[in-house]
Amino acid sequence: MRFDDAAIYRRPVGTLWFSPRLASVLGAQGGHIRIAGAGTTAAFDITVANALEIRNLDLVAPVQSRILGNSVQGTVEIRKATLSLGSSGECLAAAGQVETDLFDAAFSFLGLARRPVLADLSCEDNLLGFGVVRSLDGGVLHVDGRLVGPALLRLDIQLRFDDQASMPQQWTRLLGQNGFQATENGWRTSVRVPL
């Protein structure tokens, strides 16, 4: 089956092909899905039984959004992922990796090398997500990302420094202007990023 001008959660993805298959032993239904167009490519196997099982997921998609008031654009890539979703869309199990260059500008601001983020997919509190830890001069950056809606990513960001007093004054000013709150464990913020 072919669907032209397909959209997933109102986001155009191009053409979607679905090759159905029936699993006679367990009565589960499923098939293979392939998507191409609008800068997005994806392919995966799907099975619907007690849970929605997605296997062999390969996805490359462009993302344009805003993080901390700044416009960002980049690419998200998922390789050989496996997902298990419950009847209400809750994440039951996840394996695979996600790679993105969306945070390059933020890393550059912090004096870190502009290199793509590579993180393992996981389920936490029934939400699909990932975690990133990056060392920086005198401290560490933690980013936890969770899908809290079909096209909405929540980022919990924490910057910790060994010596808060040694943190550059320009960072203190810019972090305060971009929604970060000072805590005894560093600077924290939580933002929602439309995908």
Side-chain angles (χ1 to χ4, degrees):
M1 290 183 263
R2 172 178 169 153
F3 303 89
D4 293 318
D5 301 319
I8 297 176
Y9 297 110
R10 289 180 271 169
R11 177 183 172 156
V13 294
T15 303
L16 183 149
W17 291 268
F18 176 57
S19 303
R21 139 182 74 67
L22 295 176
S24 58
V25 178
L26 299 175
Q29 297 182 353
H32 182 76
I33 293 178
R34 188 168 57 93
I35 298 169
T40 300
T41 60
F44 55 95
D45 297 313
I46 187 169
T47 302
V48 181
N50 294 331
L52 175 67
E53 302 286 341
I54 297 172
R55 300 198 178 282
N56 303 314
L57 170 63
D58 287 317
L59 167 78
V60 177
V63 176
Q64 288 185 314
S65 191
R66 297 188 73 76
I67 298 178
L68 300 173
N70 298 304
S71 179
V72 294
Q73 60 182 6
T75 301
V76 172
E77 183 173 350
I78 296 175
R79 302 183 197 115
K80 299 298 177 204
T82 300
L83 304 174
S84 179
L85 306 175
S87 58
S88 299
E90 67 272 23
C91 186
L92 304 176
Q97 290 188 316
V98 60
E99 182 174 350
T100 183
D101 57 0
L102 278 174
F103 305 109
D104 277 7
F107 289 153
S108 182
F109 161 71
L110 294 170
L112 301 173
R114 292 173 67 115
R115 67 177 193 269
V117 166
L118 183 64
D120 292 328
L121 292 172
S122 64
C123 292
E124 187 174 314
D125 297 327
N126 292 328
L127 299 174
L128 176 64
F130 61 89
V132 175
V133 178
R134 282 267 173 99
S135 296
L136 55 137
D137 190 19
V140 66
L141 169 70
H142 293 267
V143 179
D144 285 313
R146 296 283 171 252
L147 278 177
V148 294
L152 188 63
L153 178 68
R154 185 188 73 221
L155 294 175
D156 295 316
I157 306 168
Q158 180 181 21
L159 276 165
R160 290 187 313 166
F161 292 87
D162 301 331
D163 178 8
Q164 293 280 80
S166 70
M167 188 170 135
Q169 193 64 29
Q170 66 189 33
W171 286 19
T172 303
R173 188 172 48 255
L174 284 171
L175 289 171
Q177 291 170 349
N178 284 286
F180 281 81
Q181 299 293 319
T183 71
E184 60 184 35
N185 293 322
W187 290 79
R188 289 176 142 328
T189 192
S190 184
V191 294
R192 291 180 176 238
V193 182
L195 299 175

